[in-house]
Amino acid sequence: ASLVSVADSDGDGGTITIDSGVGPQDRFDNDGTITANFLDVRSNNIDFAGSSIDAETVQIQPRPGGKPVDQGTNPIILGSASIGLNQLDIRIDDLDALKSTTDLTIGKIRGGDEDFASDITITSALDFTTLGTGTIKTLTLATANGDTTQGSTAPITVENLRVIHRAGQITLNAANAVDVLAVRAETGADDEANATLEFTNSKGFTVGDVLGTEGIDTTGYELDVDSGSIILRATSGNLVIAKAVNASGIGGNTRRIGRDITLTASAGSITVNDGVQILAVGGEARTSNTAGTTGGDITLTASGTLVLGVEAEIRSDGSSAGGSSAREDGGAAGAISLTGQSVTLNEAILSSVGGD
């Protein structure tokens, strides 16, 4: 079959939604062509092999219910409880059917019951410069509650990578080849594990803006929720921090500490652009008789030069104690360490101050 839905002259419309039901064996099998501005696929099993999908923006997620997304070479095996009940396989052949897509989203976070809320595991190398017709420029991985991981031989090659989390760990340590990275890794409730980020790139990259998500932010989603630590590595080339990197604690009724930030360019330089902040500040104590919270350690290490732009800020301050006649201690500041072949501070601001 052929499905066509294109935008009018004002850019309205142009959306096709495929919802194949909630059962573990419900399936979207496309052998024809789909033309749309936006294709929204909600299915527990898909097969796009041999088809042609002409859609600028594509979103793929399981039906609500928390089935993990497995991007890789595993096929859909009909009748197999272990695969049919536990994962949605998006194969290389499925991704190869995306002929004009520029923005691809795996999973979903928009709030509400239809959020995808389980793991995303990448098991095969994903090179979006060659998949389909090489048009995919932006990959978004989104889960409301799960881990995002990849195998050691399963790197991502794409111009722009965006990761959006509510809870869970982000561990992407293969030899990725990403130009621009943006991450919003937040948590949404007291009992959820803090969302930490560890990312390795095989070439220089920029922490920047991807589809409106700016920089790296692992601060809590709401008061009294932990932030997460941040580790970014460029194994070759230069690391440029063009947008804020923030692992600060959020103030509230309980103590939320700033988490550690580690940025490394093992065969290149690090530049923090003018006015950009790197923050691991302890959350403000908002109730009486509450001790201040500690700041996280911030470590920048480059084999080449390390340059902080004009009014760039690095802060690892501890927070002050909550006010009362019998005040608790303020939080200790985290350490700041800057290492490079040369270190240049262009009127930058460094602050590592303990709380009152």
Side-chain angles (χ1 to χ4, degrees):
S2 295
L3 304 178
V4 178
S5 177
V6 297
D8 59 25
S9 60
D10 295 326
D12 297 325
T15 297
I16 292 178
T17 299
I18 304 294
D19 190 331
S20 68
V22 298
Q25 302 305 326
D26 292 331
R27 176 185 179 94
F28 175 35
D29 190 345
N30 178 47
D31 293 324
T33 62
I34 295 177
T35 302
N37 289 88
F38 176 58
L39 174 63
D40 185 4
V41 177
R42 308 170 188 179
S43 178
N44 289 330
N45 293 297
I46 65 171
D47 186 355
F48 295 164
S51 67
S52 178
I53 297 174
D54 183 1
E56 181 177 351
T57 301
V58 174
Q59 176 172 278
I60 304 173
Q61 63 169 325
R63 291 291 297 124
K67 288 167 61 70
V69 176
D70 184 359
Q71 284 193 106
T73 57
N74 292 337
I76 297 169
I77 302 177
L78 295 177
S80 169
S82 61
I83 289 180
L85 291 175
N86 294 313
Q87 65 188 40
L88 163 63
D89 294 293
I90 303 172
R91 301 167 302 164
I92 296 298
D93 285 348
D94 299 319
L95 296 173
D96 220 21
L98 306 178
K99 301 304 183 185
S100 64
T101 301
T102 58
D103 301 332
L104 172 64
T105 296
I106 303 299
K108 176 183 175 183
I109 294 181
R110 289 183 182 172
D113 295 337
E114 291 192 357
D115 281 351
F116 172 65
S118 191
D119 298 338
I120 298 174
T121 303
I122 301 169
T123 59
S124 180
L126 302 176
D127 185 349
F128 289 100
T129 65
T130 59
L131 284 169
T133 55
T135 60
I136 295 174
K137 305 302 181 185
T138 300
L139 173 65
T140 297
L141 305 174
T143 178
N145 187 7
D147 295 338
T148 295
T149 59
Q150 65 186 160
S152 60
T153 60
I156 300 168
T157 300
V158 70
E159 284 189 16
N160 306 301
L161 175 62
R162 179 174 68 158
V163 184
I164 304 176
H165 263 224
R166 276 287 175 85
Q169 314 306 310
I170 303 167
T171 308
L172 299 172
N173 280 331
N176 298 298
V178 172
D179 292 334
V180 181
L181 175 69
V183 178
R184 179 67 175 107
E186 57 195 29
T187 54
D190 279 328
D191 58 352
E192 292 176 346
N194 53 316
T196 63
L197 166 65
E198 189 169 353
F199 177 78
T200 300
N201 214 48
S202 63
K203 65 176 187 176
F205 67 100
T206 297
V207 173
D209 183 336
V210 179
L211 297 181
T213 299
E214 296 188 351
I216 310 292
D217 191 341
T218 61
T219 58
Y221 175 65
E222 57 188 19
L223 296 181
D224 300 329
V225 174
D226 282 332
S227 59
S229 60
I230 298 170
I231 300 173
L232 304 179
R233 306 183 188 92
T235 58
S236 68
N238 302 326
L239 174 57
V240 176
I241 310 302
K243 296 293 183 180
V245 177
N246 192 354
S248 297
I250 299 296
N253 296 326
T254 56
R255 302 193 301 169
R256 301 299 175 185
I257 66 175
R259 299 290 179 175
D260 295 345
I261 298 174
T262 304
L263 311 180
T264 304
S266 55
S269 301
I270 295 178
T271 299
V272 181
N273 285 358
D274 294 352
V276 172
Q277 296 178 314
I278 300 176
L279 305 174
V281 176
E284 178 185 356
R286 299 191 178 188
T287 57
S288 298
N289 302 317
T290 301
T293 57
T294 60
D297 294 339
I298 300 177
T299 304
L300 277 62
T301 304
S303 65
T305 60
L306 195 162
V307 178
L308 304 187
V310 176
E311 295 186 353
E313 294 184 46
I314 299 181
R315 295 184 178 273
S316 61
D317 304 325
S319 69
S320 297
S324 72
S325 58
R327 287 173 59 87
E328 299 286 339
D329 293 334
I336 296 175
S337 174
L338 306 177
T339 303
Q341 189 177 43
S342 65
V343 177
T344 302
L345 309 181
N346 294 310
E347 301 179 22
I349 300 166
L350 305 182
S351 182
S352 176
V353 180
D356 297 332

